[in-house]
Amino acid sequence: AQSVTQLGSHVSVSEGALVLLRCNYSSSVPPYLFWYVQYPNQGLQLLLKYTTGATLVKGINGFEAEFKKSETSFHLTKPSAHMSDAAEYFCAVSMIKAAGNKLTFGGGTRVLVKP
Amino acid sequence: ETGVTQSPTHLIKTRGQQVTLRCSSQSGHNTVSWYQQALGQGPQFIFQYYREEENGRGNFPPRFSGLQFPNYSSELNVNALELDDSALYLCASSSRQGAGNTEAFFGQGTRLTVV
């Protein structure tokens, strides 16, 4: 069975500073990897995903993530935080050979952006 | 193109009652998944429906059941409600089954409170 660990349930950054959210997964085989964002009182929106190919993935709103197989990690970064980035972020995996896209999520990291 | 819509947005039920939550999938999508998101946690997979058949289930008891209709909309039913069932219930639709890398589109969720 796969699992996802997000280090840090809360992260506080200053506007304009680097955003770094950590995600590690545990799986017998490399899975597909996703980052979702959840704004207050809303559902989840896909930021980016890794399936195959280039390990550095660019997503929406200036976010990117790098898949490192040797470290079983998929950390999310953004060079310069905006106030609008304040939200909760979830890392998720799904298994390549599984039928359907059943997602296993981490516990989430809430980002606070200080002016 | 309409997105994923869920109803109701909020409801309050008494312990022991039954509840039905509804989800209309995004146009062209034939797969619906349901997730439970307890306060402060990541979403947990409940089950998935593909072309009206259950296609995988998470670690939830049988009192959680579902349906998918010919138009691919779906219902989540929970019997004998318990206080721990209080959560945000998310519905996600996707365009095809059998591919773990398919993007899931989420609705805004139904906030269920059991008192």
Side-chain angles (χ1 to χ4, degrees), chain A residues 38 43 49 51 94 100-103, chain B residues 35 37 55 98 100-102 107:
Chain A
Q38 186 176 36
K49 66 179 181 181
T51 55
S94 70
N101 54 344
K102 308 173 188 66
L103 296 166
Chain B
Y35 293 83
Q37 185 179 15
N55 177 46
N101 60 346
T102 305

Side-chain angles (χ1 to χ4, degrees), chain A residues 10-21 78 80-83 85-86 110-115:
Chain A
H10 292 78
V11 167
S12 181
V13 299
S14 297
E15 192 174 18
L18 171 71
V19 180
L20 171 60
L21 305 182
K78 181 174 180 178
S80 177
H82 295 162
M83 297 299 292
D85 295 327
R110 186 170 298 277
V111 173
L112 172 66
V113 182
K114 298 177 293 185

Side-chain angles (χ1 to χ4, degrees), chain B residues 2-8 22-26 34 73-74 91 93 105-110:
Chain B
T2 57
V4 179
T5 58
Q6 294 185 242
S7 61
R22 295 178 174 83
C23 172
S24 293
S25 59
Q26 186 162 316
W34 286 93
S73 65
S74 177
C91 170
S93 74
F105 292 82
F106 284 81
Q108 291 190 311
T110 294

Side-chain angles (χ1 to χ4, degrees), chain A residues 32 34 36 38 41-46 49 51 88 90 94-96 98-108, chain B residues 31 33 35 37 40-45 48 55-57 88 90 94 97-104 106-108:
Chain A
Y32 295 124
F34 305 80
Y36 281 86
Q38 186 176 36
N41 301 314
Q42 294 190 25
L44 303 173
Q45 179 184 10
L46 181 68
K49 66 179 181 181
T51 55
E88 188 150 25
F90 293 94
S94 70
M95 300 313 298
I96 292 174
N101 54 344
K102 308 173 188 66
L103 296 166
T104 299
F105 287 88
Chain B
T31 301
S33 303
Y35 293 83
Q37 185 179 15
Q41 298 182 23
Q44 299 288 318
F45 175 74
Q48 181 181 88
N55 177 46
R57 186 179 184 93
L88 181 67
L90 295 165
S94 54
Q97 183 258 13
N101 60 346
T102 305
E103 179 177 352
F106 284 81
Q108 291 190 311

